[in-house]
Amino acid sequence: MELKKDSNAVSIDMLLIVHSEKRRVAQGAHSDRPADPGAPPQRRGGLQCVENGIRRWQKLEGNDLRGNLVEKQHAQQTQVITSYDSQGTQLTVEVHPRDAMPQLFKKFSLAKRLQVDKNGNTRPRQPGGKDTHAYPWDRSSLKSMPLDLQQFEKLDTYASQVTVKSGLEELVSDLLQEAHSDLEIVRAIWIWICHHIEYDIEAAQEKDRQAFKPTAILQTQKTNCDGYAGLFERMCRIAGVQCMTVPGYSKGFGYQPGQSFSGEFDHAWNAVFLEGRWHLVDSTWGSGLVDSSTSKFTFLYNEFYFLTHPALFIEDHFPDNKNWQLLKPPQSLRQFENNMYHKSEFYNKGMLSAQPQTSIIKTVNGKATVTIESCAPTLFMFMLNGKQEHGLLSLRKNGMKLDVYPPTAGTHKLQIFAKGNSEIYSSVLEYTLKCHCADMDVRLPAELHQPVGPSWFSEQMGITKPSHSEPVIYTSDGRCSVSFGVVEGISVLASLHGDDGPMTEETQRRYIFQLHREKRTELKVQLPHAGKFALKIFVKKRQEPGNYLFVFNYLICCTNTKVNWPVFPESFGNWGVDNELLEPLSGVLPANRNVPFKLKLHGVAKALVKGQDTWPLTLSPEGYWEGSCSTAGCREVYVMVLENANHSFYSYILKYQVNAQ
């Protein structure tokens, strides 16, 4: 009989199917104890002879890693015995119930999987020129081969739900039920390990070698990186896919930017042979992460480390043999140490590049600048020494720019986070800042939040066509006016924040007067004194309950020490969104003066000003309510309106303070 699967298929001279009544003969030649799936590989073996079933296996000399006996012995279930000869040929014999369909007929895999060296030993092919990828990364793909991850959805769901019944061989057999190619085989094994094996921190610290054995891993479902890599290799080899464990250095748990690597290797991962080339995977980092503060492991699947592009894999994996970098040209250890480390979430969230490309930045005149390019609009935030202070982060259509001003000389830790499509900000970059001399003239308000300046995000939130596109506004007289379009149905709220002591929420808003003209909102700002202030802008949908949401802020700077503007008048809820105040803009009026008033009010029947006495306002042909009021004998002045001529109840809309005499 001759069965062929592909160009590497070989002929089989005999297909032996032993029926169930022969099982006793087969079992008589073996111990009742099932084979240990975690035992070390045996020396190369071959089928010596077959007589009345399976008589026995004879060990032959050699050191074939795959020449071990693989046997399933479960009552009333098919038993499969597999062996390989010196040429890498796979021979499978089934023992199954009389009426059952032989598995060999369902799925027959017979191929020369491994190479043969000059001594006749089988071994995986070493990486060569056709396995390499160009360095640096060409931005073409995060993967080392074309993949459509959607094609794996059904397989991923199935593989993640497979449970361990007995040994490793049966587990692999179960996983292969839905895998129809080498790629799908590797994917199923990868998904199972990433969703079932937990990183064992204690075993890793104690270097417990027993915890690395497949049998122990299946029992505890815990191991360290050596165990992950060893288990992945073992399962791939059982499934007939070439796989190697690759030791080396890594920028993983506990890594500090700029650190050097020497001595014993601290990590292990895998290379797997698919479609004629070697590819890289790291199931340890694909399964989850360790919290640096609690040293606890959390399952958190990471697609990035499955068939990662080698030019990206080298950022945090340096193999003991440079050939396993799969790069042209390969990188040196010194380059690995000095190159910027982009965390996996950097690429998962669509980042493309960052400047500077070194993990240690020296400030220039007390300032450091970081820019990131992304393939889509992305939200960012940063922390300097654990606080969101001392920096200006502005969003760009495809990335961001961050200027950081360390408050003191010395070494500082800068972390950058990105949000992407999820609701969670993830750490994507980490720098070490070396500041020789801090710029003491740059003191940013503590309330200056991120981002600074309008962007695609503010437009998305309903604020369009701003009068000031840059994040910083300079004023010489302490006053400025900012305007922007507002999408219909959106309400805007603004507040001013400095570092001159606590201010009430009411006072923070009293230095801003908000006007509305033809679908545009204008914010008139008067600073209480010279300095730097954060003008924070919030929005809210009028018809929806809840609080206002922060969108962005401007940094307003004034160096004129003579500036001393008072607050604007206090406005009440009945101050209409389309009303306009022309005068008086100061919320504090002089005593014993006649003060002119001019306002544009919509939808009112009458308007008046009330102090010690009451002064009516008249409607001019231009549509303004005008008049004057004496501040003699009063401490407060109110503007009041009558919205319905048939009513007698007036509403307060503005309030002024009167200076003491």
Side-chain angles (χ1 to χ4, degrees):
M1 179 185 297
E2 183 177 10
L3 299 177
K4 290 184 178 293
K5 181 179 179 182
D6 51 36
S7 59
N8 290 324
V10 297
S11 298
I12 182 170
D13 297 325
M14 174 188 65
L15 175 64
L16 176 65
I17 300 176
V18 184
H19 292 284
S20 57
E21 64 265 24
K22 302 292 186 180
R23 185 178 304 168
R24 179 178 55 83
V25 179
Q27 291 178 335
H30 298 283
S31 168
D32 292 334
R33 181 176 58 85
D36 181 1
Q42 304 295 320
R43 301 174 73 85
R44 183 171 71 252
L47 189 62
Q48 182 72 7
C49 63
V50 178
E51 180 180 340
N52 294 328
I54 303 172
R55 182 176 176 185
R56 65 192 184 94
W57 291 89
Q58 295 286 355
K59 292 184 179 179
L60 303 179
E61 291 188 3
N63 54 6
D64 180 10
L65 291 177
R66 301 183 62 184
N68 60 304
L69 176 63
V70 180
E71 183 174 359
K72 294 182 179 181
Q73 296 182 353
H74 299 287
Q76 302 302 318
Q77 295 183 11
T78 299
Q79 300 177 56
V80 180
I81 301 174
T82 303
S83 182
Y84 306 88
D85 70 6
S86 62
Q87 299 301 311
T89 301
Q90 173 180 319
L91 176 62
T92 300
V93 178
E94 286 188 11
V95 181
H96 66 92
R98 181 189 299 274
D99 298 328
M101 174 68 73
Q103 293 294 322
L104 287 172
F105 293 161
K106 293 181 181 178
K107 184 174 182 180
F108 199 92
S109 177
L110 191 61
K112 292 184 177 181
R113 295 285 187 180
L114 304 179
Q115 287 187 333
V116 180
D117 62 20
K118 62 183 180 180
N119 297 320
N121 299 323
T122 56
R123 59 179 176 79
R125 176 179 70 75
Q126 293 298 304
K130 69 177 183 179
D131 299 297
T132 59
H133 297 253
Y135 183 89
W137 182 47
D138 59 6
R139 301 186 178 187
S140 60
S141 173
L142 300 182
K143 302 297 186 181
S144 55
M145 64 185 296
L147 289 182
D148 178 8
L149 295 179
Q150 292 184 346
Q151 73 179 9
F152 294 133
E153 290 181 356
K154 180 180 178 181
L155 177 63
D156 289 355
T157 300
Y158 169 80
S160 64
Q161 296 174 353
V162 170
T163 58
V164 179
K165 297 183 179 66
S166 59
L168 200 58
E169 287 77 12
E170 184 177 6
L171 172 61
V172 173
S173 177
D174 290 343
L175 289 172
L176 265 55
Q177 296 303 310
E178 295 294 330
H180 307 293
S181 66
D182 283 358
L183 174 59
E184 291 185 351
I185 289 172
V186 171
R187 180 71 180 190
I189 293 171
W190 155 270
I191 287 293
W192 188 88
I193 290 177
C194 289
H195 287 80
H196 290 83
I197 305 303
E198 178 180 346
Y199 189 82
D200 192 336
I201 300 173
E202 293 183 1
Q205 293 173 342
E206 297 173 1
K207 299 183 179 181
D208 181 4
R209 305 303 301 182
Q210 295 298 320
F212 308 158
K213 293 184 177 180
T215 47
I217 296 173
L218 291 189
Q219 292 172 357
T220 65
Q221 298 207 345
K222 290 184 178 183
T223 188
N224 78 337
C225 57
D226 289 328
Y228 276 100
L231 179 64
F232 188 89
E233 178 182 350
R234 183 72 178 275
M235 293 177 73
C236 283
R237 288 183 173 237
I238 290 173
V241 177
Q242 291 189 54
C243 183
M244 293 286 290
T245 295
V246 181
Y249 296 121
S250 69
K251 296 179 180 179
F253 179 70
Y255 168 74
Q256 297 297 323
Q259 80 175 57
S260 299
F261 292 88
S262 62
E264 185 178 353
F265 295 118
D266 61 5
H267 194 44
W269 54 94
N270 294 101
V272 63
F273 195 77
L274 295 170
E275 298 185 8
R277 298 180 78 178
W278 284 103
H279 303 268
L280 302 171
V281 300
D282 187 341
S283 55
T284 307
W285 291 6
S287 63
L289 49 83
V290 176
D291 188 321
S292 58
S293 60
T294 63
S295 294
K296 291 185 178 180
F297 174 84
T298 300
F299 278 108
L300 186 63
Y301 177 72
N302 192 342
E303 173 65 35
F304 180 77
Y305 291 105
F306 178 73
L307 307 185
T308 315
H309 194 293
L312 303 180
F313 204 76
I314 191 62
E315 291 199 19
D316 46 19
H317 293 73
F318 189 84
D320 65 334
N321 184 334
K322 67 179 182 179
N323 292 336
W324 286 115
Q325 294 181 25
L326 307 183
L327 289 177
K328 185 179 182 180
Q331 300 294 288
S332 68
L333 180 59
R334 178 62 60 86
Q335 288 174 305
F336 174 73
E337 293 170 344
N338 293 337
N339 285 347
M340 183 61 205
Y341 169 38
H342 305 89
K343 298 185 179 182
S344 61
E345 286 300 289
F346 181 90
Y347 297 107
N348 285 339
K349 293 185 180 296
M351 310 298 106
L352 296 173
S353 65
Q355 297 291 339
Q357 295 184 353
T358 57
S359 57
I360 299 178
I361 306 175
K362 293 182 179 180
T363 60
V364 178
N365 298 325
K367 172 185 171 182
T369 300
V370 176
T371 60
I372 292 180
E373 180 185 358
S374 61
C375 60
T378 305
L379 289 174
F380 294 88
M381 61 170 283
F382 78 93
M383 282 189 170
L384 183 67
N385 302 325
K387 296 182 179 180
Q388 299 181 44
E389 297 179 356
H390 309 295
L392 297 176
L393 188 153
S394 55
L395 299 176
R396 297 175 173 178
K397 184 176 181 180
N398 289 319
M400 71 88 171
K401 178 183 178 183
L402 170 63
D403 292 327
V404 183
Y405 304 87
T408 60
T411 301
H412 304 268
K413 180 180 180 180
L414 174 63
Q415 297 170 286
I416 298 177
F417 305 82
K419 192 172 185 180
N421 295 325
S422 68
E423 293 299 316
I424 301 174
Y425 281 91
S426 300
S427 176
V428 295
L429 288 176
E430 186 174 315
Y431 289 95
T432 296
L433 300 188
K434 300 285 189 179
C435 181
H436 177 68
C437 182
D439 187 348
M440 303 310 296
D441 292 332
V442 180
R443 286 184 58 86
L444 301 177
E447 285 293 325
L448 187 71
H449 290 174
Q450 309 156 43
V452 181
S455 66
W456 62 267
F457 177 67
S458 55
E459 184 173 350
Q460 180 179 295
M461 297 296 287
I463 295 178
T464 64
K465 299 179 179 179
S467 59
H468 295 69
S469 58
E470 295 299 315
V472 182
I473 299 174
Y474 296 95
T475 171
S476 58
D477 65 355
R479 296 185 296 179
C480 66
S481 176
V482 178
S483 64
F484 40 77
V486 179
V487 173
E488 186 176 353
I490 296 293
S491 295
V492 177
L493 183 69
S495 59
L496 190 71
H497 304 260
D499 279 341
D500 52 351
M503 295 173 62
T504 65
E505 184 176 339
E506 176 187 340
T507 304
Q508 291 167 353
R509 291 200 297 266
R510 290 283 300 281
Y511 286 101
I512 306 165
F513 199 80
Q514 188 168 320
L515 304 173
H516 301 271
R517 296 190 184 95
E518 299 179 355
K519 296 184 179 181
R520 285 189 69 82
T521 292
E522 180 182 4
L523 302 176
K524 291 183 177 292
V525 181
Q526 296 182 166
L527 302 181
H529 52 76
K532 295 180 175 66
F533 296 84
L535 175 61
K536 302 175 70 171
I537 298 174
F538 307 80
V539 300
K540 175 183 177 298
K541 291 184 178 180
R542 293 175 188 165
Q543 303 302 322
E544 294 184 3
N547 299 324
Y548 281 81
L549 300 176
F550 170 75
V551 180
F552 73 100
N553 40 209
Y554 285 104
L555 175 64
I556 302 178
C557 303
C558 178
T559 59
N560 187 350
T561 57
K562 296 181 179 180
V563 166
N564 185 23
W565 290 105
V567 294
F568 286 103
E570 181 181 356
S571 60
F572 296 99
N574 287 335
W575 175 261
V577 294
D578 295 322
N579 291 346
E580 183 180 351
L581 174 66
L582 279 77
E583 59 177 346
L585 289 175
S586 174
V588 181
L589 303 179
N592 301 317
R593 297 280 184 88
N594 282 324
V595 179
F597 281 77
K598 185 177 182 179
L599 308 90
K600 179 170 284 189
L601 306 173
H602 297 272
V604 302
K606 294 181 180 182
L608 58 84
V609 179
K610 184 180 184 303
Q612 182 72 14
D613 296 310
T614 300
W615 288 267
L617 301 178
T618 58
L619 185 62
S620 70
E622 293 79 16
Y624 292 98
W625 292 89
E626 300 181 69
S628 62
C629 164
S630 173
T631 60
C634 60
R635 300 180 61 182
E636 295 174 341
V637 172
Y638 295 90
V639 178
M640 307 173 68
V641 297
L642 182 66
E643 297 178 357
N644 191 324
N646 296 322
H647 295 169
S648 59
F649 180 76
Y650 280 79
S651 301
Y652 294 93
I653 59 173
L654 294 176
K655 176 183 177 181
Y656 292 84
Q657 300 291 332
V658 178
N659 267 331
Q661 297 183 9

